[in-house]
Amino acid sequence: RDQVHELIGSTAIESMVLENRIGTHEIRCMKDFLCSNTTLRGIKFLKTDTDASSFLLLHDFFVGNSSLRVFDAFGNTKLGDEAIMEVLEAMTEGGVMLETLNVGERTFGEEVDEGVVRVSEVGVASMMDFVSRTPSITHLKIRLRGQTNNTLATLSNILQTPQCNISRLELDGQFGDEGILLLAEALKTNATVRTITIGYSENLTDVGGNALLQVSKDVYGTGTWES
C-alpha cells in the first residue's frame, strides 16, 4: 500500500498490467492511484480475480481518465456480465475514446472450470452496444463462449455503419455459419476492416469459412482459410 501511495500524482506511467491473483483487496489498495490518474493510456487485467466489486471501486478511474485508449481483460476467473457491464457503463459515462477493446477467456472447449465466472451472451451484447457507440475503436478482440450468431449479427450491423472505424477483428465463440455469413455480407460494403482472425468455434464449418474467404479475395485480393 505504501508503494502504491508513492505513485499517486505520477504522470509518467502510461500503461499498466495487473496480473495473477490480484482481486478486490489489491484493487482497493490501488484505488487512490488509479482514480487520480488521468494519463494512463492502457490497462490490462491478465488472469486476475477481479470481479464486479473490483471494477465498481474503479468507477471513477474509468469515468475520469479521458486518456484511456486500451482496455484488455484476458483469462480472468471472475469477469462476468456484471463486471464487464460496470466497466463499459463507466467508460461510456466518461466519454472515453477507446481504441482497443480486448476481452477473452483463458480456455475453450467443453470443459467448464469450477468457480470460473464467464461473460454470457448478455455481456457480449453489452460490449457490442458499447462498440456501436464508440466509433474510436479500431481493434476489437472478443474471445468468449458468450459470443453467438446473435452477437455477430449485431457486429455485422455495426460494420455497415459509416461511423465504423474497426480495422482489426479477432473473434472466438459459439457462433457458427449463420453468424459468419452475416459477417461476410457486411464486409462487402465495409471500408475499414483490414485484418480478421477467426479462432475457436465448434459450430463453424467450411460453409462459413469459405464465404468469408471469398469476400476476402473479392474485396481485398487475398485471404486463406484452413478447415
Side-chain angles (χ1 to χ4, degrees), residues 66-209:
S66 59
S67 298
L68 192 66
R69 295 294 179 266
V70 177
F71 176 79
D72 190 325
F74 178 79
N76 299 283
T77 59
K78 298 180 181 179
L79 188 73
D81 294 341
E82 188 179 354
I84 195 64
M85 284 162 46
E86 167 61 35
V87 174
L88 299 178
E89 289 171 3
M91 288 194 289
T92 298
E93 181 182 342
V96 173
M97 298 178 65
L98 205 69
E99 295 175 358
T100 296
L101 178 61
N102 175 9
V103 182
E105 295 176 12
R106 189 179 310 184
T107 58
F108 269 78
E110 296 188 2
E111 77 284 351
V112 178
D113 299 330
E114 185 176 353
V116 174
V117 180
R118 302 189 184 281
V119 178
S120 74
E121 184 178 12
V122 173
V124 177
S126 71
M127 293 172 63
M128 293 303 181
D129 181 62
F130 175 79
V131 172
S132 71
R133 293 181 285 111
T134 312
S136 55
I137 290 179
T138 59
H139 182 188
L140 179 63
K141 181 176 181 179
I142 302 179
R143 189 175 188 268
L144 299 167
R145 286 179 175 86
Q147 181 148 246
T148 65
N149 288 329
N150 290 333
T151 59
L152 281 195
T154 303
L155 176 59
S156 298
N157 290 333
I158 294 170
L159 293 176
Q160 295 179 81
T161 60
Q163 62 267 31
C164 175
N165 288 300
I166 296 172
S167 61
R168 182 172 180 177
L169 279 172
E170 298 182 60
L171 308 170
D172 298 67
Q174 296 191 76
F175 53 82
D177 293 333
E178 179 184 345
I180 291 298
L181 288 173
L182 291 172
L183 188 66
E185 189 65 27
L187 289 171
K188 292 179 180 179
T189 56
N190 175 274
T192 61
V193 175
R194 290 293 176 267
T195 302
I196 304 173
T197 301
I198 304 294
Y200 175 88
S201 178
E202 62 186 29
N203 300 313
L204 181 61
T205 72
D206 284 350
V207 172

Side-chain angles (χ1 to χ4, degrees), residues 45 50-59 62 71 79 83 86-87:
F45 298 86
T50 48
D51 57 12
S53 62
S54 308
F55 290 114
L56 184 60
L57 287 170
L58 295 179
H59 178 85
F62 288 112
F71 176 79
L79 188 73
E86 167 61 35
V87 174

